[in-house]
Amino acid sequence: MSSPANGHYKSPEQAKNVWEDLIASGIPRDNIYIDEDNQVIKVLIPETERREIQEIFDRHKLS
């Protein structure tokens, strides 16, 4: 079952870097959503991949 992992970013550059890192890790583009109004990146992933996404969020200092 898939569920969203959310991370709040502080700048467009930070969001772009996270986006690129997620794509490079194999996450399909269709599973990544950037909410510019609320500065949130949402990634729809299976629960088994949540740790990997959280590591990417942590590396880029998303809250």
Side-chain angles (χ1 to χ4, degrees):
M1 180 167 179
S2 295
S3 63
N6 299 328
H8 294 270
Y9 63 89
K10 296 179 178 101
S11 70
E13 295 81 21
Q14 185 183 32
K16 180 179 181 265
N17 290 337
V18 173
W19 171 275
E20 290 173 352
D21 209 356
L22 291 166
I23 297 298
S25 73
I27 303 299
R29 293 175 191 269
D30 292 343
N31 290 16
I32 305 168
Y33 306 93
I34 296 182
D35 179 348
E36 294 176 355
D37 293 335
N38 295 308
Q39 293 186 305
V40 175
I41 296 177
K42 300 176 183 182
V43 184
L44 188 60
I45 48 143
E47 194 62 39
T48 56
E49 295 179 28
R50 181 169 292 282
R51 182 173 176 219
E52 179 182 0
I53 301 306
Q54 191 59 52
E55 288 174 3
I56 292 171
F57 285 179
D58 291 347
R59 184 171 39 236
H60 291 279
K61 299 183 182 1
L62 268 61
S63 54

